[in-house]
Structures are given as structure tokens and as C-alpha cells.
Amino acid sequence: MRNPGVQFTAKPNLFEGRGYIQVDLLYRGYLLQSKQLAVLIIPVAGAEIPESLRPPQTASITFTTIDLLTHEKLALLPERFLTVDVQIDTRDGSTDLRFLDRTQGNQELVSYSTNLQSGLGNASARVRQKLHSMAATKEGYQFKTQGDMKLLNTWLPQLADAGRYLYRSLLPENKGRTLGEDSGEKLRAALKPDSVIQVNPINPILGLGKTTIPWALLYERKVMTSKEVHVCEEFLNHDIDCTDCPFKDNYKVVCPHAFWGYRYAIEQLPAWTSGELSQTPSLVWQIANNQPLYINFNVWRDFRFWKNHLPKIEQLGYVKMLVAEEIMELENIWATYSSDLDIVYFYCHGGIDEIENLPYLQLSDDKISSNFLEACEVNWQHRPLVLLNGCATGDYGPESYISLIDDFRSAGASGVIGTECPVPELFAELYAITLLKRVFRGEPLGQAMLTVRREMLQQNLNPLGLVYSLYAPYEIALARALAHN
């Protein structure tokens, strides 16, 4: 039986001119498709439409997971209670953020526009700068994987202060009629610890390129700027909701549990547009690995710990390591094992070329660029996970590699793990081993990243787990677990 479609009446708040309608298709809270309609509003019915204003209606798909629209695949979809849809407005280049909340029923919690080129962009840059300083200076965690309360008290209040500005930039007070007087309290009340937040990132429109927001660094408690501000001494003894914590409402106390990265699991799905549909691979939740697991390990050979890193990975499970120190070795591996690779791991430099302003990954002898990836004509059959562990480099973060994600996706990658700033090699090596240990057991990647982030904080008093971001579905996992006990 054919679906007759959905009919509704729209009442414009314009008398004439061009208006815009955003249409979202969700199933159990999972956003499947977004479309924007541009509609000409005429003053009276039957009015003549001049040629300069034709066509009177246009539509464009701004996000889609169209391959999921079968009864069988819909039945397997995970449920979501909060979706953050982020798009660039084609009219003025501003950024639209829409928070779609289902915790209190199927309602839109809030929808408004903000200008990424001003307050939000500056707030994001400030958070990453603080994160970089904490990670890459000797006064921070550059040479330490094990921290202490003194280090936390030096850095976490600064990070919370920057993260609070970012939170308020995303959810500012009195931001339009939909938000009203709310400054994020309604959103916080709607979210529960361990919630999975689906983020649909910004599409590259009008030549503005891709932009990312460090979601894990959002700090959702109020915090004072004062020399007396310190990290809660009780956070290790309380759950994520800080039940019965005496400092819960003290804004001179920084609570690590108020960072989104410790409270929630955040998935950032690929930004797919209608122009890409013919070549876009489907979303996958399972890496179709066999045993052994094939890992292509691409490295900058002057790193100190990589030769110790390899046997540690091999001890985690039944794996075959295919190591490339130079570009020719990488090309040979990709040509020979393109239908076998399960994980493509870059343990190397990365950044943006100063002359051409294009992103790259740096192996021992040369750079890997977008053109290089296209020319390789890779077709990864097992939909491998790409892990970008950007170590010891001064120019590395989402803006460095975000456009490469499309290239990896076109090559067949199921998802990408990246970092918000450069990571000290000492921590990068430890984080990767700790994460892969869980992934090899068959844990969903989103859950594994959240657990490792919390473990690093609680056991090592080290907050650098906040650096890593997931550009893939939360549920993605190996089809066959292979970890040694």
C-alpha cells in the first residue's frame, strides 16, 4: 500500500518575498533526512509571478541517511532522545543550530540561529587553545599520563571557564523567541547521564568549508571566575549526577561531570547532501572483520614510542599489522589488502599546508593529501575504522582533517576518530591501547570512548580523554570480537 504522504498547512509570517521551511524526518528520534524548502510568498492568490522570481519553490536535501529507509533497517535503528542539527544558512552564512528533544515527547526543544564567525567561533577556538596548552606544555600533561589534583586544579577550572563560554554561545540567554529566558537549563534537565547525542555536522555550503564544534568540552554548570575556584574534592566519590555531593550547587567548585564529554556519548554523523547521494556509502554499525583483524598502521618513524606501540596492539588480540613508514609502503598495502583492512591507523603528524591551505597527514617521507586519497581509488570492502592519532604537531585538529573525512568515507571508511588538538605521544599511545582493548572485545565504539575518557579521569586524574571525538555512529563495533583474555 502506497503511503499517501503527509499534508500540513503552513502560515507564513511574511506577506510577500521568499520564505524558508525546514522539514525533518525522524524515526524514534533518529534523524533520517532534512530538507529545506524555499517558497515564494505572493500577496494575493493568482498573482502574476515575474520570470526573475521563478521557480516559485525549490528544495534541497541538507542531510540524509536515505539508505536506511527500508522496513528491515528501520527496525534495527537505535533510539535517540536528543539530536543537534547544525547547518549553514544559505541566505547569510550564519549557522543554524536546532536541538530536537524527545525526552518529554516528540517536541522541538529549541531552534535558533547563531553566527559562527563571531561569538561561537571565538568560543570554540578558545576552548581548543586551552586544551592545547593543557596537553602540550611541560606545565601541563605533555610528559605525564598520571596526573594529580594539583594539575587538575591548575587546568580544569580554565577549561571549565572556556567550556562555559562555549555552552552559552550555543545556548545564549534571550536568543530569539523560541529560547526565551532559558539559558540552557531546559536542555540540561532533558538530558540524562549516558545519553547518546546525535550531532549532524555543518554542511560545506557557499564555499565556507566544514566547521566543527568541540562538543565534549561544553560545560553545563555555572562557574565563577575567581582564584578560589577549584576542582571538586568529592567527584571521585559520587556518580555522574553528583548525588548527595555537598558542592553540587557551589559555582566556585568545578565539577568534571559537568563536561558533556564525561556525561554523554556524542556521535557526529557524516554531513551528507543531495548532491552526494549517488556516491555516498551507507551508514554502518558493524565492521565486517574476520580473524585475524587487519590493521594498516601508518607512522612517522621519528616518534619515540611507536615500535613499543605495535607489540602492545598485537598482544590485545589476533591481529595482522601492516606497517607503512613511507608513502610507497602505504600504496602497496592499500593495493594488496584493500578488501581486508578493518582499521586504518594514522600514528603521525598532520596539519594544514601553509601555502596551499589544504589539510594533510604526514608520513616519514611525504604528505597524504585529498588529491592523493582520490588518486589511490581505494575501495575498502570491510568498511574500516580510521583512527587519526595526531601526535606532537603544532597544527592539528578538526579543521586540519575534517575535509579528509569525506575522502575516507568515499574510500569506504565506516567512521573516523580524530582529536580536537595535538596530543602528546605519551598519552596518545596509552589512549589508543586502552581504547583498542575495549574495541577488540566487541564494545560499541561510542561507549568505549566514553568509558575510557572517564577511566583516564578517575584513575589517572588526566582529562586528555576529552581530546578525542567520534565521527561515526555510536553503536559501531567489530562483527567478531577477538580480544585475548
Side-chain angles (χ1 to χ4, degrees):
M1 180 177 177
R2 184 174 178 178
N3 191 323
V6 178
Q7 299 196 14
F8 59 91
T9 301
K11 296 182 179 180
N13 56 12
L14 299 174
F15 293 105
E16 57 183 309
R18 203 167 292 274
Y20 295 83
I21 301 173
Q22 181 74 32
V23 181
D24 297 312
L25 176 63
L26 296 100
Y27 180 78
R28 298 173 70 233
Y30 202 98
L31 184 62
L32 297 173
Q33 193 172 101
S34 293
K35 178 178 282 190
Q36 187 177 78
L37 307 177
V39 182
L40 182 66
I41 301 169
I42 55 179
V44 294
E48 185 68 25
I49 301 175
E51 194 63 33
S52 61
L53 294 179
R54 292 183 179 275
Q57 179 175 313
T58 59
S60 62
I61 294 174
T62 56
F63 177 86
T64 187
T65 53
I66 194 71
D67 63 290
L68 295 173
L69 299 182
T70 66
H71 291 296
E72 294 78 12
K73 289 187 177 180
L74 285 173
L76 298 174
L77 268 183
E79 192 168 15
R80 294 290 181 264
F81 289 95
L82 181 72
T83 296
V84 184
D85 196 40
V86 190
Q87 295 176 6
I88 293 178
D89 194 317
T90 57
R91 293 165 287 178
D92 58 10
S94 65
T95 301
D96 296 335
L97 294 101
R98 293 178 304 117
F99 294 81
L100 308 171
D101 163 54
R102 293 183 64 247
T103 55
Q104 305 299 323
N106 295 321
Q107 64 174 347
E108 182 173 299
L109 178 66
V110 62
S111 175
Y112 61 90
S113 298
T114 187
N115 192 328
L116 194 68
Q117 285 70 40
S118 59
L120 181 55
N122 292 336
S124 293
R126 186 166 176 260
V127 166
R128 289 191 176 113
Q129 187 275 324
K130 292 289 185 184
L131 197 61
H132 187 188
S133 297
M134 180 176 73
T137 61
K138 62 182 180 180
E139 295 81 15
Y141 291 84
Q142 183 179 12
F143 303 116
K144 307 177 188 72
T145 56
Q146 183 65 47
D148 51 37
M149 286 303 296
K150 182 179 179 181
L151 262 180
L152 274 185
N153 275 311
T154 299
W155 292 103
L156 216 58
Q158 297 182 51
L159 204 58
D161 186 58
R164 182 61 186 174
Y165 275 112
L166 178 60
Y167 188 88
R168 292 173 62 199
S169 295
L170 285 166
L171 293 162
E173 261 186 61
N174 305 319
K175 184 73 174 183
R177 286 169 294 180
T178 44
L179 194 59
E181 298 297 323
D182 178 38
S183 59
E185 285 75 14
K186 188 187 294 185
L187 178 64
R188 185 181 180 188
L191 288 171
K192 303 300 180 188
D194 300 313
S195 297
V196 180
I197 299 176
Q198 179 190 116
V199 177
N200 305 315
I202 297 168
N203 290 327
I205 301 174
L206 297 177
L208 293 174
K210 289 183 181 290
T211 310
T212 62
I213 294 168
W215 297 99
L217 279 301
L218 267 63
Y219 188 77
E220 62 180 30
R221 272 170 51 105
K222 294 176 182 177
V223 60
M224 291 186 177
T225 304
S226 165
K227 293 181 179 179
E228 299 176 14
V229 174
H230 61 279
V231 177
C232 180
E233 298 172 0
E234 294 289 328
F235 83 91
L236 291 172
N237 303 320
H238 293 274
D239 59 21
I240 300 297
D241 260 341
C242 304
T243 305
D244 298 325
C245 180
F247 304 109
K248 187 172 183 178
D249 298 316
N250 186 339
Y251 299 131
K252 291 184 179 179
V253 175
V254 169
C255 177
H257 299 158
F259 285 99
W260 270 29
Y262 291 125
R263 291 186 67 79
Y264 317 118
I266 303 164
E267 60 175 9
Q268 298 186 65
L269 300 184
W272 299 354
T273 59
S274 54
E276 299 176 303
L277 294 185
S278 61
Q279 60 183 12
T280 297
S282 60
L283 273 180
V284 295
W285 283 268
Q286 199 171 70
I287 299 170
N289 67 295
N290 292 305
Q291 294 193 20
L293 184 83
Y294 280 76
I295 301 178
N296 166 219
F297 184 82
N298 307 304
V299 65
W300 189 67
R301 67 165 65 99
D302 289 338
F303 283 148
R304 294 176 57 192
F305 305 117
W306 74 271
K307 289 187 176 179
N308 295 325
H309 192 45
L310 290 179
K312 289 181 182 178
I313 296 175
E314 291 172 329
Q315 290 169 11
L316 294 178
Y318 186 27
V319 301
K320 182 175 179 61
M321 303 296 294
L322 305 167
V323 180
E325 298 179 39
E326 298 184 352
I327 295 293
M328 185 174 292
E329 293 171 311
L330 178 143
E331 290 183 76
N332 289 336
I333 290 170
W334 286 3
T336 307
Y337 297 96
S338 64
S339 60
D340 299 305
L341 295 179
D342 301 303
I343 296 177
V344 178
Y345 184 176
F346 289 91
Y347 188 84
C348 63
H349 282 305
I352 296 178
D353 187 278
E354 293 181 1
I355 299 175
E356 297 182 344
N357 198 33
L358 294 172
Y360 66 85
L361 296 167
Q362 176 76 58
L363 265 62
S364 303
D365 65 332
D366 209 345
K367 297 176 180 177
I368 298 171
S369 65
S370 177
N371 280 348
F372 173 88
L373 293 172
E374 179 195 35
C376 283
E377 297 183 343
V378 182
N379 182 18
W380 290 324
Q381 297 296 315
H382 279 313
R383 309 298 304 276
L385 174 72
V386 175
L387 172 56
L388 302 177
N389 215 357
C391 315
T393 176
D395 183 14
Y396 189 82
E399 273 63 47
S400 303
Y401 61 73
I402 190 69
S403 61
L404 293 177
I405 290 180
D406 283 340
D407 297 299
F408 290 127
R409 182 162 56 96
S410 296
S414 56
V416 176
I417 298 174
T419 64
E420 295 292 340
C421 74
V423 187
E425 189 190 358
L426 198 63
F427 183 84
E429 194 274 336
L430 174 64
Y431 178 89
I433 288 296
T434 309
L435 179 67
L436 290 175
K437 184 176 183 179
R438 292 185 169 276
V439 172
F440 287 3
R441 291 176 185 164
E443 287 188 25
L445 187 57
Q447 181 60 54
M449 291 179 68
L450 179 62
T451 302
V452 169
R453 197 178 286 145
R454 288 173 175 171
E455 283 181 355
M456 293 293 185
L457 175 70
Q458 294 165 355
Q459 298 175 14
N460 294 54
L461 295 178
N462 190 325
L464 291 187
L466 293 170
V467 168
Y468 290 85
S469 296
L470 176 63
Y471 298 88
Y474 163 89
E475 287 83 5
I476 192 168
L478 296 180
R480 297 169 181 82
L482 58 123
H484 295 319
N485 292 325

